[in-house]
Amino acid sequence: MAAYKSAYQPYKSFTYGQGTPPIPPCLNHLASFIARCYKTNLATTTTRTIISALGFIFQLSSSQDLTQNFIIKRMLQSFLKTRHTNDPRLSITPEILSKLIQSLPCTIDSYFSRCLLKAMFIFAFCVFFRVGEITKTNSKLQHYLLFKHVSNSIDTNDVGFI
């Protein structure tokens, strides 16, 4: 509930600054709030999260959920298109993979863990896996690799590769 409250506070301050209460919501205020988020360089994902939380709050208060309004949806789409951010993460190259593996003895005490991580790094690199595809979490919806999914076979039709 704290996340909803932190998303609601900026909108509440904005609407009270306009001289009106935040609930029931007003389409003009919500659109102006999104425009303010854009003008203040708020991240697209942050703005979408705030608007989503506002939709939930509007529904809880038995008000009309204006976040599903055509204009609001188009504003958020435009926000995303005009504020395209590049992913700051580097692609793993063979050089970076090598540095990751070389750093393991300096960062991990356990020999077993170093070997396991080295194997995971190399495997993920070679088969283009993401971390979530080779690790297990406590989530009930798991999509990770199991030993039974792996087989050691040679495709005889692909003779050019051998």
Side-chain angles (χ1 to χ4, degrees), residues 92 96-97 99-104 107-108 114-127 129 131 134:
I92 302 296
I96 292 175
L97 177 63
K99 288 179 182 179
L100 284 169
I101 291 169
Q102 289 171 8
S103 72
L104 286 173
T107 56
I108 307 291
R114 283 195 308 266
C115 290
L116 179 65
L117 286 171
K118 180 179 178 180
M120 289 173 69
F121 290 169
I122 293 170
F123 180 76
F125 179 80
C126 291
V127 295
F129 270 19
V131 173
I134 58 173

Side-chain angles (χ1 to χ4, degrees), residues 12-94:
K12 181 179 170 184
S13 298
F14 177 79
T15 57
Y16 277 132
Q18 302 287 320
T20 56
I23 294 178
C26 171
L27 183 61
N28 289 341
H29 289 146
L30 189 58
S32 296
F33 178 72
I34 293 170
R36 182 175 147 256
C37 291
Y38 181 82
K39 285 181 77 174
T40 58
N41 291 321
L42 197 61
T44 307
T45 52
T46 305
T47 303
R48 285 183 168 274
T49 301
I50 291 170
I51 299 303
S52 176
L54 288 174
F56 180 73
I57 291 166
F58 295 157
Q59 290 175 12
L60 279 178
S61 68
S62 299
S63 297
Q64 182 182 3
D65 181 8
L66 294 179
T67 62
Q68 299 304 311
N69 181 283
F70 176 79
I71 293 169
I72 299 302
K73 285 185 171 188
R74 293 301 163 254
M75 282 185 78
L76 291 172
Q77 281 181 340
S78 297
F79 197 144
L80 180 64
K81 287 180 182 179
T82 58
R83 265 289 156 72
H84 181 70
T85 55
N86 292 329
D87 191 345
R89 298 174 293 183
L90 294 174
S91 297
I92 302 296
T93 62

